């Protein structure tokens, strides 16, 4: 990159002022939003909706004895199933591990305040058959199957992705418009300089390229800050409950979105630049 080109780009970035900051912020928010949605979707699909993971069917039991009898029948009827009977005390301990903030209140509840449960893990293809079979057995009541929450979760995930995509596109279009206005104002402000450059033999490429690079840089900074934030969030999520993990190719796509949007905005902004006579 020539010294003149670098100097011109730095000057344009400085002159962009508050409008340039707005462009950076818009792309930063769009990148962070899109990356978070992609990361959460990746986690949900891999951990909760994967067809490779077993389904779970839970049955309330009137007694441990009924549960043990159902387990024996299950092992004969569904050899691949993995049943487990939880006594009331075990159910309380499990709930306390899920919700440690109310562990003290759970400890005060007597054992007869909790049901005995039969929890069966089975292949997805057998879930419906198993649920139907258990619902017909006497002595137990079908509490829940994982299919009951998977379908609403899939719909909620699709809705969240659609809404997030619409908001992300709106932010990117906003950034494109801001870059367009910034470049157009700079072109108009530097009209005399551009004419002088043409008179001394400057090529159109040498005049236009700094504006394109400046637009790409403004939006690219937003992508850079967004990716840095997503990297921290991705690292933090490995040691916390945050279900965010981005695939490597997602970082590359997010890194390219900003510069592309900036170049598109700059190209439209350069429409204010009169052609060389």
């Amino acid at each position: 990159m020539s010294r003149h080109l670098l100097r011109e780009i730095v000057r344009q970035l400085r002159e962009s002022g508050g409008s340039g900051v707005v462009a950076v912020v818009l792309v930063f928010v769009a990148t962070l939003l899109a990356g978070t949605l992609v990361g959460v979707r990746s986690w949900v699909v891999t951990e909760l909706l994967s067809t490779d993971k077993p389904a779970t069917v839970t049955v309330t039991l009137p007694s441990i004895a009924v549960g043990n009898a159902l387990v024996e029948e299950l092992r004969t009827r569904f050899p691949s199933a993995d049943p487990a009977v939880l006594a009331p005390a075990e159910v309380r301990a499990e709930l306390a591990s899920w919700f440690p903030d109310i562990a003290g209140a759970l400890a005060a509840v007597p054992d007869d305040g909790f049901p005995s449960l039969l929890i069966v893990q089975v292949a997805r293809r057998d879930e419906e058959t198993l649920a139907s079979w258990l619902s017909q057995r006497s002595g137990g009541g079908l509490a829940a199957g994982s299919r009951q929450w998977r379908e609403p979760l899939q719909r909620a995930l699709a809705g969240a992705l659609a809404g997030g995509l619409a908001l992300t596109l709106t932010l990117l279009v906003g950034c494109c418009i801001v870059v367009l206005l910034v470049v157009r104002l700079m072109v108009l402000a530097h009209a005399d300089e551009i004419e002088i450059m043409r008179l001394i033999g400057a090529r159109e490429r040498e005049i236009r390229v700094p504006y394109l690079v400046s637009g790409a840089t403004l939006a690219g900074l937003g992508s850079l800050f967004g990716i840095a934030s997503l990297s921290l969030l991705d690292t933090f999520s490995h040691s916390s409950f945050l279900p965010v993990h981005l695939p490597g190719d997602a970082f590359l796509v997010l890194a390219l979105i900003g510069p592309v949007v900036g170049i598109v905005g700059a190209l439209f902004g350069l429409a204010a630049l009169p052609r060389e006579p």
Side-chain angles (χ1 to χ4, degrees), residues 46 66 75 78 86 136 162 187 271 274:
T46 302
V66 172
R75 286 174 175 162
F78 300 92
L86 297 184
Q136 298 171 7
V187 165

Side-chain angles (χ1 to χ4, degrees), residues 39-259:
V40 171
R41 178 188 178 280
S42 176
W43 182 85
V44 171
V45 170
T46 302
E47 299 296 329
L48 300 181
L49 300 178
S50 173
T51 55
D52 296 331
K53 293 185 177 295
T56 302
V57 179
T58 304
V59 180
T60 57
L61 301 170
S63 66
I64 297 294
V66 172
N68 291 332
L70 280 175
V71 167
E72 294 301 322
E73 292 185 66
L74 271 170
R75 286 174 175 162
T76 302
R77 180 69 175 77
F78 300 92
S80 62
D82 182 19
V85 177
L86 297 184
E90 294 173 308
V91 173
R92 176 171 54 192
E94 188 72 16
L95 289 174
S97 67
W98 293 350
F99 309 104
D101 293 339
I102 61 172
L106 292 173
V109 179
D111 286 350
D112 57 9
F114 298 93
S116 299
L117 295 179
L118 171 63
I119 299 177
V120 186
Q121 290 191 330
V122 67
R124 291 283 175 88
R125 62 180 181 277
D126 297 328
E127 178 184 7
E128 188 173 353
T129 303
L130 173 64
S132 176
W133 182 82
L134 285 171
S135 65
Q136 298 171 7
R137 309 306 297 167
S138 60
L142 184 61
S146 57
R147 185 181 60 178
Q148 293 177 276
W149 57 259
R150 282 201 310 272
E151 293 177 358
L153 179 59
Q154 287 175 321
R155 291 193 296 269
L157 181 62
L161 288 174
L165 178 61
L167 180 57
T168 299
L169 290 176
T170 301
L171 292 170
L172 293 176
V173 170
C175 172
C176 185
I177 294 173
V178 171
V179 172
L180 183 158
L181 294 175
V182 168
V183 171
R184 175 160 294 193
L185 289 173
M186 286 193 296
V187 165
L188 295 176
H190 299 158
D192 293 340
E193 296 178 21
I194 293 171
E195 289 302 320
I196 294 173
M197 291 177 66
R198 283 173 171 167
L199 288 174
I200 63 176
R203 293 174 294 181
E204 285 298 304
R205 183 181 62 184
E206 295 172 337
I207 296 173
R208 296 173 182 272
V209 166
Y211 294 99
L212 296 175
V213 176
S214 297
T217 301
L218 286 173
L221 284 173
S223 289
L224 180 63
F225 294 148
I227 288 174
S229 300
L230 288 170
S231 297
L232 291 175
L233 185 59
D234 186 41
T235 301
F236 180 69
S237 68
H238 290 300
S239 58
S240 71
F241 65 93
L242 292 173
V244 177
H245 177 63
L246 278 174
D249 54 351
F251 281 105
L252 178 60
V253 172
L254 292 173
L256 293 175
I257 286 177

